[in-house]
Amino acid sequence: MSKIAQAAGIASGTLYTYFKDKNAMLKALYLHHKEAMAKATTQFDPSGDPERELRHYMDLVYAYAQQHLADMLLIREFNQSPVLQQLGVTRAEAYAGYEPIVQLTERGVAAGVFMPVVFDVLMSYAYTPVVEYAVAVANGLIDPQTVPFDRIKMLSCRAILVHPKA
């Protein structure tokens, strides 16, 4: 905590005014980044055409990744470690703000547009490939001129949609 306070240019005791301990600070950091990403990536119509809105969602995730990739990677690291459980992050807290994508997913499954699987599985095909593509582009491993983002969306849609359009 003292190193964090020093980097922030404040006294160590000041941090304890806002956070009980390091875990409380890490939880707040994680939830802050999740909230910011939710606001940016759920700017679509959850009651609209499921396929169109799914593609729009993926565009929003990619646009966010281009500007905030480090934040998304931080979230990924938290999600892939046992830290969230240690911090006491509940599922409700982790998904707060993502209600529109949950609604869209449920509607798409109910309408027979999306494969009939649970939200988490569908989102792993809509979200993860987009983030991995953004990482590969940022690291120079993929040339977006050679492998455009639309190709990634097409591949993801083939996994999610019952009858994908070209």
Side-chain angles (χ1 to χ4, degrees):
M1 293 289 275
S2 62
K3 288 181 183 179
I4 294 168
Q6 184 180 10
I10 60 175
S12 296
T14 304
L15 281 177
Y16 290 102
T17 302
Y18 301 102
F19 304 105
K20 178 178 80 173
D21 56 23
K22 179 178 75 173
N23 285 349
M25 186 173 54
L26 288 172
K27 181 177 180 177
L29 175 71
Y30 172 76
L31 293 175
H32 170 76
H33 286 295
K34 288 279 291 197
E35 179 185 339
M37 188 169 65
K39 284 181 183 176
T41 62
T42 58
Q43 300 300 310
F44 59 87
D45 181 4
S47 62
D49 175 68
E51 183 172 350
R52 182 186 69 240
E53 298 305 327
L54 173 68
R55 292 175 189 273
H56 186 197
Y57 167 74
M58 287 189 281
D59 288 336
L60 292 167
V61 170
Y62 186 55
Y64 191 78
Q66 289 176 309
Q67 299 297 313
H68 304 280
L69 188 57
D71 295 346
M72 295 177 90
L73 295 177
L74 176 76
I75 291 167
R76 179 173 74 181
E77 289 302 313
F78 270 101
N79 289 341
Q80 293 177 347
S81 76
V83 172
L84 287 186
Q85 190 174 28
Q86 293 169 4
L87 300 178
V89 176
T90 66
R91 182 172 174 82
E93 289 173 319
Y95 284 101
Y98 291 91
E99 294 84 3
I101 194 65
V102 173
Q103 292 168 5
L104 177 67
T105 303
E106 290 172 351
R107 280 189 55 256
V109 168
V113 176
F114 297 166
M115 291 292 185
V117 294
V118 296
F119 166 77
D120 298 78
V121 173
L122 285 176
M123 284 301 97
S124 69
Y125 284 94
Y127 175 83
T128 304
V130 175
V131 175
E132 293 305 317
Y133 176 80
V135 168
V137 169
N139 290 335
L141 301 173
I142 292 178
D143 176 1
Q145 300 302 317
T146 306
V147 181
F149 176 63
D150 282 344
R151 178 129 342 127
I152 303 308
K153 279 197 318 188
M154 177 191 68
L155 291 170
S156 290
C157 286
R158 284 184 179 175
I160 297 168
L161 300 169
V162 173
H163 301 291
K165 299 173 188 165

